[in-house]
Amino acid sequence: MQELKRFSGRAHALAHRQAGRLSDAFFSQKGAGRPGGAIAQTSGPAGRGAIQGRTDIDEAPLRRYAHAQAERLEEGFFRGRYDRSRARLAENIALWRQRVDIANPGPDLANFPNSAFTLPAGRAYVEISPLTYYGSAEGSPAQYNAEFLLRYGLTDDVEFRIFGNGVSWSGGSASAWGFAPIAFDTKIQLWTEKPDWYLPAAAAEAYLQTQWFGSRPFNGGTQPAITLNFDQSLPFEIDLEYNLGATRVQSIDGENVWEESFQWALQRDFFGEDFALFVHGFYNAMTLPRLPNVRVTSAQLGEGKQNAVGLGFIWTVDQRLAIYGQMSGGTTASTPSTIGMLGFAAAF
């Protein structure tokens, strides 16, 4: 209900601002050269200045104007993270499927958690973070990645995804360049947000980190992970995104260890609906296998927890392109001291 009120308020304000322009367009006189409109004056029996009547109305400006305003209202309806659930309602889903929109559901690489929303069937996103840097930490040297995420909507509720850290550089005493292995990922939307019940939107996501195409210094073995993704609208137009899951990592002695993980982000639009700021963080792991491999024993893995907090932005340039960036810092000795990223996402 709160979402409906917000949208109704935006639509009412827009309609009010355009009311004057609409009346001008409606009463444009056909071929008379009088921009004031369709009410003419005469000097007949009633005297000069009396209203004679309405002249013919040129409907073309009205049609063009109405079409333009309909497109603006439509775009405003589907823009923004708060409208991602409403776009999937029965009366809106056909339009949602046919629109190319980078803001709905939005890029997943922009922050640490992933959203609970999927792409429409047949739509695709390409997300690339060519400038990604992880500072050194206890058990891992500094590392540079060129991360990428390819997303494709198999159905309206199921995404097929391929993720990789791309071209990578690892520092330390044994510095190396190479290519990180790829991971196969899928996200399945379980349900949309139900504000009246205070129920967040939810999805299940799972990935398998492979050893394919990976250089030896960046190969951490074949590792699975699973998370539950949630999105919820909060007061003051704040969006809460959080993930709960479990991920498996490999220690330096070759033992696989399962760890619990948690990622979160609070985001709000500023200066309109095209620019958003967020604060985010993670515990133990990001939702995707983005962190450098930790080169410690299995006992040290259990003791050394990772945690980071930072700030970032998402700039929606147009319906097809978004630019994002973030800067974060580790709060424990096992976490990279600095995590910086700049990237973009394109919708097709």
Side-chain angles (χ1 to χ4, degrees), residues 41-50 52:
Q41 293 182 338
T42 182
S43 57
R48 182 172 182 81
Q52 183 183 33

Side-chain angles (χ1 to χ4, degrees), residues 24 276 311:
D24 290 342
L311 299 170

Side-chain angles (χ1 to χ4, degrees), residues 207 220 223-224 247-251 255-259 284-285 294 301:
Y207 73 74
Q223 305 296 344
T247 182
R248 197 175 75 177
V249 296
Q250 191 175 77
S251 64
E255 183 178 353
N256 294 322
V257 179
W258 281 95
E259 294 183 326
N284 268 350
V294 180
L301 275 176

Side-chain angles (χ1 to χ4, degrees), residues 68-297:
Q69 295 311 307
E71 286 186 341
R72 289 187 60 188
L73 284 170
E74 175 186 302
E75 180 180 351
F77 180 82
F78 287 98
R79 289 293 297 277
R81 299 169 68 86
Y82 306 106
D83 295 322
R84 291 178 297 178
S85 288
R86 188 180 299 110
R88 291 157 174 81
L89 295 177
E91 60 268 28
N92 303 320
I93 195 166
L95 183 58
W96 171 67
R97 287 169 178 160
Q98 72 184 32
R99 288 176 59 88
V100 177
D101 193 351
I102 195 62
N104 188 346
D108 269 349
L109 287 189
N111 53 27
F112 296 145
N114 288 348
S115 79
F117 296 95
T118 52
L119 292 171
R123 292 295 180 191
Y125 277 9
V126 176
E127 304 179 25
I128 301 176
S129 304
L131 301 175
T132 304
Y133 176 78
Y134 298 91
S136 60
E138 189 177 279
S140 64
Q143 183 166 318
Y144 160 83
N145 293 336
E147 300 173 353
F148 65 89
L149 176 63
L150 310 178
R151 305 168 58 182
Y152 181 77
L154 296 177
T155 72
D156 290 342
D157 299 316
V158 179
E159 270 188 29
F160 172 71
R161 301 144 63 92
I162 298 177
F163 170 79
N165 285 322
V167 177
S168 300
W169 168 85
S170 179
S173 57
S175 62
W177 282 93
F179 195 84
I182 63 172
F184 294 100
D185 180 288
T186 186
K187 180 166 41 170
I188 302 173
Q189 187 174 39
L190 302 177
W191 61 77
T192 57
E193 184 177 7
K194 306 294 189 295
D196 291 341
W197 302 345
Y198 302 99
L199 183 68
E205 183 172 354
Y207 73 74
L208 182 66
Q209 174 71 69
T210 72
Q211 302 181 54
W212 294 1
F213 311 113
S215 305
R216 186 177 182 84
F218 308 100
N219 195 334
T222 302
Q223 305 296 344
I226 186 169
T227 61
L228 291 175
N229 305 353
F230 300 97
D231 275 79
Q232 189 163 16
S233 300
L234 301 181
F236 306 106
E237 298 185 348
I238 296 173
D239 184 65
L240 170 63
E241 192 170 87
Y242 58 100
N243 302 162
L244 297 167
T247 182
R248 197 175 75 177
V249 296
Q250 191 175 77
S251 64
I252 196 171
D253 48 18
E255 183 178 353
N256 294 322
V257 179
W258 281 95
E259 294 183 326
E260 71 278 9
S261 65
F262 176 65
Q263 305 82 26
W264 60 272
L266 291 167
Q267 178 171 310
R268 191 185 190 281
D269 292 335
F270 290 88
F271 318 114
E273 295 183 338
D274 295 329
F275 189 81
L277 297 175
F278 60 81
V279 56
H280 66 161
F282 71 84
Y283 173 75
N284 268 350
M286 301 184 196
T287 306
L288 291 168
R290 304 164 71 174
L291 286 170
N293 296 330
V294 180
R295 303 168 186 173
V296 297
T297 65

